[in-house]
Amino acid sequence: NTAQNGGVSFHGDVDFENFTFTTISSYRSSNTQRDGDIDFTSVDLISGNQQDIQIDTFTQELRLASNGDNRFHWLVGGFYFNENIDQTDNVTFGTAFRSFVNLLADPTGATDTLSGLEFALGLPIGTTFHQPGQGVFEVATQDNQSFSLFGQFDFDLTERLTATFGVSYVNDRKDVTLSQINTDLFSQLDFVGIGFAGLFGAFTGGAAPTPANFALFPGQTAAAAAAATTPCTPTSAPGSCNTALALQALQFLPALLGIPSSGENGQSRDENVDFTLRLAYDWTDNVNVYASYATGYKATSWNLSRDSRPTNAELDAVFGVAVPGLFGLARPGQPATLVAATRRADPEEAFVYEVGLKASFARGSFNVTVFDQTLENFQSNVFNGVAFTLANAQQQSVQGVEFDLLWFATDNLSFGLAGTFLDPVFDEFTNSTFGDVSGTRPGGIHGTSLSTRVNWNWQSGSYDGFVRADYQYDSDVSVQGGGTINAANAILAAVGQDRRSVNTFNASTGISKNNWDLTFYGRNIFNDEFLGASFATTAQPGSFSGYPNQPRTYGVLLRKNF
């Protein structure tokens, strides 16, 4: 991985008699290049995943804010955002992938399945499928322009009661393009049609694969017997009628319909108004209580990965409306592996109720918040082993409590405790990667998270020192989510990797003198082990990879301040 990042910003404030004018201009440039071994093995299955992303971002913010001491305070402003993304993303086969496929098809190694398939299709034998350097080569761009107008107004209704009203208008425009060159012929094959032709090749005139028609051909009596009890169709499960369907699992680089097309112009235009209402009351000079209601908005998100799938409406516009055919409804000219799904996630909206308390004391502080958040059209993004699938959950909600406590037992000794308690659920999510997961808990969100720390500072002569320790606890949670609907959970549960809990202890001690600092530290001292995430492994159906947490680590840090 290589990354080059740079930028420049300007921040200016001008004070007038009753208000302050602020301008903030910023330009950022980021270029990252990656060539990763995405099959996560020492075998040369995928020779590389070459990715180059260039992002250029410009923002401009203008604000006017009151600076008087009256009972009315205000802030108004505008924000402009312009971002351009240019991305190339290539995946190519290595020298061992063809042998890998043959071994999956016949673990004994006795059969060269791919050569047999090439022979049956009249293609060059041994040099057609899964050759080194074959794969997909993609180019994507996104031009995002957005601006918002906002204002916040605080009214001191009494000396202790303040009412706040905030409003924001946002206008978001995105223009995207996506194209692909696909040299993986194997992933373009129609194994429904291939298997049908192989099993029912003697039929003429498009005769239906019924038990009666089967019986007409004595050379296929075994298949006829099977069809007599369970009618065979082109899409019957592998092993019953169409054994070719077993190879579909290895078509992980399917056809892609570029953007724009006759059914998709690659443009999204969104606008929305959000607002905030809040009442805050100073119960005492040290204790404030408040209640608020706020809305939020996230504009359309485009899927520019190789799993960007056209909708049925787009397929109808490009290939024509589906009509009955030998294998069911089909569109003439539509590639067999080009299936309908989603191109983008529609805008997401948030609605949040919150009540809380903030208190400060001579030797500490305490804050607590209770909230209820609902997300409509939540933008879900899940890695499927090859690309990211983007879809809207109709509704996700979470109720929770957050708190933090800081206590100075003495001038040198302090204790901290913070916690979050969450109860998230997909209220309705019928079109997830796993199917209908409505009523299930989203993966990876811990119900209880607690963080504690203790810090002791000391001084002796010209020396300053400290001893610090902290502990992080996160309750047990499913990493993948989806419950029993997600087949991956059963596979991961068999090896004890479907869930995650965190119990991490860190400690450090240090001493300072004359601008020199010496620190000894230990992280994850008790060597807690868990997976931060797990996902389907590329090109290896049924296998999963995961990212483990950092193991027990000790270190020494020497720093000189100039």
Side-chain angles (χ1 to χ4, degrees):
N1 295 276
T2 62
Q4 293 179 320
N5 299 293
V8 60
S9 64
F10 171 80
H11 184 154
D13 292 309
V14 181
D15 292 326
F16 294 91
E17 182 177 356
N18 297 316
F19 63 89
T20 298
F21 170 74
T22 299
T23 176
I24 304 174
S25 305
S26 176
Y27 171 77
R28 296 285 297 176
S29 177
S30 174
N31 178 248
T32 57
Q33 296 175 322
R34 181 186 71 184
D35 189 357
D37 183 12
I38 60 172
D39 60 64
F40 298 102
T41 72
S42 58
V43 184
D44 187 21
L45 301 180
I46 304 298
S47 62
N49 174 206
Q50 302 85 21
Q51 190 175 71
D52 190 327
I53 303 177
Q54 176 69 45
I55 304 176
D56 295 292
T57 307
F58 171 76
T59 62
Q60 174 64 57
E61 183 172 358
L62 300 174
R63 293 198 308 261
L64 293 175
S66 63
N67 54 17
D69 295 328
N70 54 37
R71 297 174 60 179
F72 174 55
H73 309 277
W74 53 268
L75 180 148
V76 295
F79 183 81
Y80 174 74
F81 173 89
N82 187 317
E83 182 174 77
N84 293 290
I85 302 175
D86 294 280
Q87 171 181 298
T88 61
D89 194 354
N90 306 327
V91 175
T92 51
F93 295 124
T95 57
F97 196 84
R98 183 179 175 97
S99 299
F100 173 69
V101 172
N102 278 327
L103 284 172
L104 285 179
D106 181 4
T108 68
T111 305
D112 187 340
T113 300
L114 291 180
S115 293
L117 183 61
E118 290 163 341
F119 174 78
L121 297 176
L123 299 171
I125 300 173
T127 59
T128 300
F129 298 135
H130 300 131
Q131 298 301 301
Q134 290 181 344
V136 293
F137 308 86
E138 298 161 355
V139 177
T141 68
Q142 177 174 284
D143 179 15
N144 184 192
Q145 296 189 59
S146 176
F147 73 89
S148 65
L149 303 174
F150 55 87
Q152 180 169 305
F153 311 93
D154 297 323
F155 303 87
D156 293 336
L157 302 179
T158 70
E159 290 185 354
R160 291 189 176 275
L161 180 63
T162 300
T164 298
F165 172 71
V167 63
S168 173
Y169 166 79
V170 63
N171 183 295
D172 185 272
R173 301 166 58 93
K174 292 186 176 76
D175 295 274
V176 304
T177 66
L178 176 64
S179 61
Q180 179 192 84
I181 297 174
N182 192 327
T183 59
D184 176 22
L185 181 61
F186 181 88
S187 286
Q188 317 308 315
L189 295 178
D190 178 9
F191 284 114
V192 172
I194 291 172
F196 183 83
L199 188 59
F200 307 112
F203 290 171
T204 59
T210 62
N213 286 338
F214 252 129
L216 297 176
F217 300 92
Q220 301 189 13
T221 55
T229 56
T230 304
C232 279
T233 67
T235 56
S236 296
S240 59
C241 296
N242 187 352
T243 57
L245 292 182
L247 295 173
Q248 284 182 325
L250 290 167
Q251 293 182 300
F252 67 95
L253 297 177
L256 182 146
L257 182 61
I259 306 174
S261 71
S262 57
E264 174 57 72
N265 61 13
Q267 300 177 352
S268 60
R269 304 289 186 261
D270 301 313
E271 61 178 354
N272 194 66
V273 176
D274 290 302
F275 63 90
T276 297
L277 298 172
R278 183 173 64 244
L279 283 175
Y281 179 70
D282 291 329
W283 197 348
T284 70
D285 291 342
N286 298 317
V287 178
N288 177 273
V289 293
Y290 67 92
S292 70
Y293 173 72
T295 66
Y297 184 78
K298 183 186 293 185
T300 297
S301 295
W302 285 86
N303 186 351
L304 298 181
S305 77
R306 64 185 56 88
D307 203 53
S308 180
R309 305 296 181 124
T311 63
N312 276 308
E314 184 179 353
L315 289 174
D316 289 343
V318 175
F319 299 103
V321 178
V323 295
L326 189 61
F327 309 135
L329 291 176
R331 299 177 181 87
Q334 177 182 341
T337 56
L338 179 61
V339 297
T342 59
R343 283 286 202 195
R344 52 182 166 179
D346 293 331
E348 173 186 319
E349 294 186 88
F351 307 89
V352 185
Y353 295 91
E354 184 177 330
V355 294
L357 176 148
K358 296 180 180 294
S360 61
F361 306 100
R363 287 200 168 274
S365 62
F366 176 71
N367 304 305
V368 62
T369 299
V370 180
F371 63 90
D372 186 325
Q373 173 180 277
T374 299
L375 301 175
E376 293 187 356
N377 282 332
F378 170 72
Q379 295 180 355
S380 168
N381 196 17
V382 178
F383 186 68
N384 60 21
V386 180
F388 289 89
T389 301
L390 192 61
N392 286 105
Q394 289 91 334
Q395 181 170 300
Q396 177 185 323
S397 63
V398 58
Q399 293 79 43
V401 178
E402 293 181 337
F403 76 92
D404 64 86
L405 171 67
L406 177 62
W407 176 46
F408 288 91
T410 69
D411 291 341
N412 296 329
L413 181 63
S414 64
F415 297 89
L417 173 64
T420 303
F421 306 94
L422 300 175
D423 184 20
V425 64
F426 283 122
D427 303 288
E428 185 179 3
F429 194 1
T430 58
N431 60 330
S432 79
T433 305
F434 318 122
D436 186 352
V437 295
S438 302
T440 66
R441 187 185 187 95
I445 302 177
H446 299 276
T448 300
S449 295
L450 295 173
S451 177
T452 63
R453 70 174 180 84
V454 58
N455 192 81
W456 178 55
N457 296 307
W458 57 268
Q459 290 180 323
S460 178
S462 59
Y463 290 93
D464 296 313
F466 72 89
V467 177
R468 181 182 300 123
D470 65 82
Y471 170 70
Q472 177 69 39
Y473 167 77
D474 294 318
S475 61
D476 184 65
V477 69
S478 172
V479 177
Q480 289 269 332
T484 57
I485 299 172
N486 182 2
N489 283 328
I491 299 173
L492 294 170
V495 292
Q497 296 293 347
D498 61 320
R499 305 189 68 82
R500 176 181 70 223
S501 61
V502 177
N503 291 275
T504 304
F505 179 76
N506 308 306
S508 60
T509 183
I511 189 171
S512 301
K513 182 182 180 181
N514 297 332
N515 294 324
W516 284 94
D517 300 324
L518 179 63
T519 302
F520 300 88
Y521 63 86
R523 301 191 183 109
N524 192 12
I525 291 175
F526 300 124
N527 205 33
D528 185 31
E529 295 181 343
F530 56 88
L531 291 180
S534 60
F535 53 91
T537 307
T538 302
Q540 298 170 57
S543 297
F544 289 83
S545 298
Y547 293 112
N549 66 309
Q550 186 176 1
R552 180 191 293 118
T553 305
Y554 296 103
V556 180
L557 175 65
L558 179 64
R559 179 187 293 116
K560 168 66 175 177
N561 297 308
F562 297 94

